[in-house]
Amino acid sequence: MRGSIDYSNKDNRTIYLVIICVINFLFFIDPVAIPLAGSSLILGFSDLIVFMLAVIVSIIVIKRGFIKYNSIMLGFLLFLGVSIVSLFYTQNIGRWLIGDLNYIKAFLILFIFNNLYQNKDNRKVKLLFRCYYLSFSILIIRIFYETFIVNQGNFLVGNKIELLIGGSNYLASMLLIPVAISLTRTFLLKATWIDVAVLLTSLAGIIFTGSRTVIIISTITIIGFVTGIILISKLSLKKKIYNFGMFIIGMLLMYKLSFNFFMQMVSDDRFNNLSQQANVLSRFSIFQVYLTQWQKHILFGNGFMNIEVDGINTLAHNTFFQLLADNGAVGTVIMLFCIINIFRLFIKLIKSINFNQDRELWCWIFGLLLGFTLTVIHGMFEPNWGTRQYMLVMFMGLGILFLVDSKRIPVKKRHRSGRAYHFKRRN
């Protein structure tokens, strides 16, 4: 008889929900640095709980007698296997181990969500999304504290905000996620003060980081989103007028909240001749170094985070170049396959949910899709994909998608979001 876990046990289900919610609210608490083979492994409390939960789920899988998987999980597993070959060309094994661990953690998160529950429940999905969404308030509060208490409201050139979890541009990249979710909820659902507050404070936090790229991405996204809703959406005229009014009020509140800080950036010529500024030109120099280094080991790369620019280990500031130089053409193709399949999962779920029947769930998924898309775009200019904090935060959100009940999809068109491998257990 195949071993199993009683998933109808309410107490067990509650325990796992609490554990996952706790992980979210520990995202943005400072981690600890552990020496590792000449480098420093940054390990946070969320990481430890993920590893602990992965062990628990592994025990559940063994007792149950089968493991559930999908194409994204298989792609990550293949990517990790192929990346081992790059060890032959790696100079700094410590950095390789750290980079490898970031992808292992992302895989474990997907494994946990795909195997923790046997029965899907959209009420549970909404609860996890709310927790995930509200956890960004901790990051926002920390950015406001650094801006007004530590920096006394002044714009600082260079590392405007520097936390142990990352610097200004990195923090701004992660703020694109709550911006996208709150934007979707504010203009497609009946706006709540929480959604409006998250949207405004997230946008203000982005301005306080001084990240010009994210400011530009956010501005284009908001204008395009609101314009699309007003001009081409099927919402009622009353709702469109309401949304336009919300947009004007939001702009006025943003003016009061962050206008003075933004003008400090303008006065420091942060937006003049962007293509000719030193840090922009330096990125192109880094791209050239990475492209040259990739050509040394075209198929399997040089190993995670092992590229030096002017004698210093430097990230590529571009996801594509980072993958090429670190993992070669083979690893890059596999990871692009994973990213494409993540987008396919989003689209399948959005199509499967009737917007008028379950607007809340539809908005959660669409908002996360928008946030994922924006961070991928930002990853073309700043390092985020493959880094510790981003993989933890983004893949916790993506993992929730595995719990969505997509039974509304017609049988002939149903997305094969998961399969199971059965194995025998010895008595």
Side-chain angles (χ1 to χ4, degrees):
M1 179 176 176
R2 189 177 67 198
S4 63
I5 294 294
D6 182 9
Y7 287 90
S8 62
N9 187 307
K10 189 174 181 180
D11 292 333
N12 284 344
R13 187 164 58 226
T14 301
I15 290 173
Y16 295 134
L17 282 174
V18 170
I19 291 173
I20 293 172
C21 289
V22 167
I23 292 175
N24 293 319
F25 283 97
L26 292 175
F27 279 155
F28 306 110
I29 304 300
D30 286 339
V32 295
I34 302 174
L36 178 64
S39 298
S40 293
L41 172 64
I42 305 300
L43 195 63
F45 297 103
S46 288
D47 304 286
L48 295 175
I49 299 178
V50 166
F51 294 137
M52 177 193 72
L53 197 55
V55 172
I56 295 173
V57 175
S58 296
I59 296 172
I60 291 175
V61 166
I62 294 172
K63 289 184 176 181
R64 189 173 60 197
F66 67 92
I67 181 172
K68 292 194 291 184
Y69 62 91
N70 56 32
S71 59
I72 301 172
M73 289 177 59
L74 289 178
F76 263 81
L77 201 59
L78 182 60
F79 174 82
L80 289 167
V82 169
S83 69
I84 295 176
V85 180
S86 66
L87 270 172
F88 290 104
Y89 314 113
T90 297
Q91 300 296 320
N92 189 321
I93 296 179
R95 290 181 66 83
W96 185 95
L97 288 171
I98 292 169
D100 186 62
L101 190 61
N102 292 337
Y103 282 96
I104 290 176
K105 186 165 51 185
F107 170 79
L108 290 178
I109 291 171
L110 299 181
F111 164 75
I112 289 168
F113 277 99
N114 213 24
N115 287 275
L116 187 57
Y117 293 100
Q118 192 166 2
N119 301 314
K120 297 181 178 182
D121 183 352
N122 286 343
R123 291 174 299 177
K124 175 171 57 189
V125 170
K126 294 174 186 177
L127 173 62
L128 291 174
F129 266 128
R130 290 189 196 104
C131 178
Y132 176 76
Y133 176 54
L134 294 177
S135 68
F136 286 93
S137 61
I138 297 176
L139 175 60
I140 295 169
I141 290 171
R142 294 199 65 183
I143 290 175
F144 270 66
Y145 177 83
E146 291 290 318
T147 301
F148 292 106
I149 304 301
V150 177
N151 297 340
Q152 299 181 341
N154 296 316
F155 170 75
L156 304 177
V157 178
N159 289 326
K160 282 72 64 178
I161 297 175
E162 189 68 30
L163 304 178
L164 290 179
I165 58 175
S168 292
N169 291 326
Y170 191 62
L171 302 176
S173 187
M174 285 184 288
L175 283 178
L176 284 170
I177 302 171
V179 164
I181 297 175
S182 59
L183 181 67
T184 303
R185 289 178 55 82
T186 298
F187 288 97
L188 292 181
L189 295 176
K190 185 177 180 181
T192 66
W193 69 268
I194 294 178
D195 295 314
V196 175
V198 171
L199 178 58
L200 293 178
T201 54
S202 296
L203 289 171
I206 287 173
I207 292 175
F208 295 153
T209 65
S211 175
R212 293 164 297 181
T213 307
V214 178
I215 291 174
I216 294 171
I217 291 174
S218 301
T219 302
I220 294 173
T221 300
I222 292 172
I223 293 175
F225 191 91
V226 175
T227 301
I229 286 178
I230 294 174
L231 296 181
I232 64 176
S233 74
K234 295 181 180 179
L235 295 177
S236 65
L237 179 61
K238 180 180 178 181
K239 180 63 175 176
K240 290 181 179 181
I241 294 174
Y242 173 80
N243 283 335
F244 183 72
M246 286 288 295
F247 176 73
I248 298 300
I249 293 173
M251 292 296 292
L252 292 174
L253 290 173
M254 281 299 299
Y255 173 85
K256 294 290 292 183
L257 189 60
S258 58
F259 180 75
N260 290 336
F261 190 91
F262 184 78
M263 290 309 297
Q264 290 182 41
M265 294 178 61
V266 174
S267 64
D268 282 343
D269 296 328
R270 290 285 288 174
F271 296 95
N272 291 340
N273 300 319
L274 288 178
S275 63
Q276 298 301 315
Q277 293 201 20
N279 55 353
V280 176
L281 294 174
S282 66
R283 280 172 173 75
F284 288 102
S285 299
I286 295 173
F287 296 166
Q288 291 175 351
V289 171
Y290 262 76
L291 189 59
T292 301
Q293 293 298 314
W294 166 59
Q295 292 171 351
K296 292 182 178 180
H297 308 291
I298 292 178
L299 289 180
F300 298 103
N302 302 272
F304 293 111
M305 303 191 300
N306 261 259
I307 304 301
E308 293 186 352
V309 179
D310 296 329
I312 300 174
N313 286 111
T314 305
L315 296 178
H317 292 70
N318 179 283
T319 299
F320 185 70
F321 287 127
Q322 189 77 52
L323 287 170
L324 276 179
D326 286 359
N327 309 106
V330 177
T332 301
V333 169
I334 295 172
M335 187 48 58
L336 290 178
F337 166 83
C338 293
I339 294 173
I340 290 171
N341 273 276
I342 290 172
F343 277 111
R344 287 183 66 247
L345 175 60
F346 270 118
I347 294 170
K348 291 289 185 180
L349 289 175
I350 288 173
K351 287 183 177 180
S352 74
I353 298 171
N354 188 308
F355 176 74
N356 292 319
Q357 290 181 2
D358 198 339
R359 291 194 178 193
E360 183 184 4
L361 182 59
W362 192 95
C363 287
W364 282 127
I365 297 173
F366 182 83
L368 187 61
L369 167 60
L370 182 59
F372 179 68
T373 304
L374 295 180
T375 59
V376 169
I377 293 172
H378 187 234
M380 297 297 105
F381 308 97
E382 291 289 342
N384 53 22
W385 189 271
T387 60
R388 173 197 166 268
Q389 192 74 22
Y390 177 83
M391 299 301 271
L392 175 66
V393 172
M394 191 72 254
F395 277 81
M396 282 296 292
L398 296 177
I400 299 174
L401 298 178
F402 291 169
L403 303 180
V404 176
D405 182 2
S406 58
K407 291 180 180 179
R408 294 186 183 90
I409 304 177
V411 175
K412 292 183 179 180
K413 297 181 179 179
R414 183 166 295 173
H415 177 57
R416 300 181 72 179
S417 60
R419 303 173 185 175
Y421 174 76
H422 297 261
F423 52 89
K424 294 181 179 180
R425 297 184 301 114
R426 295 181 179 178
N427 294 327

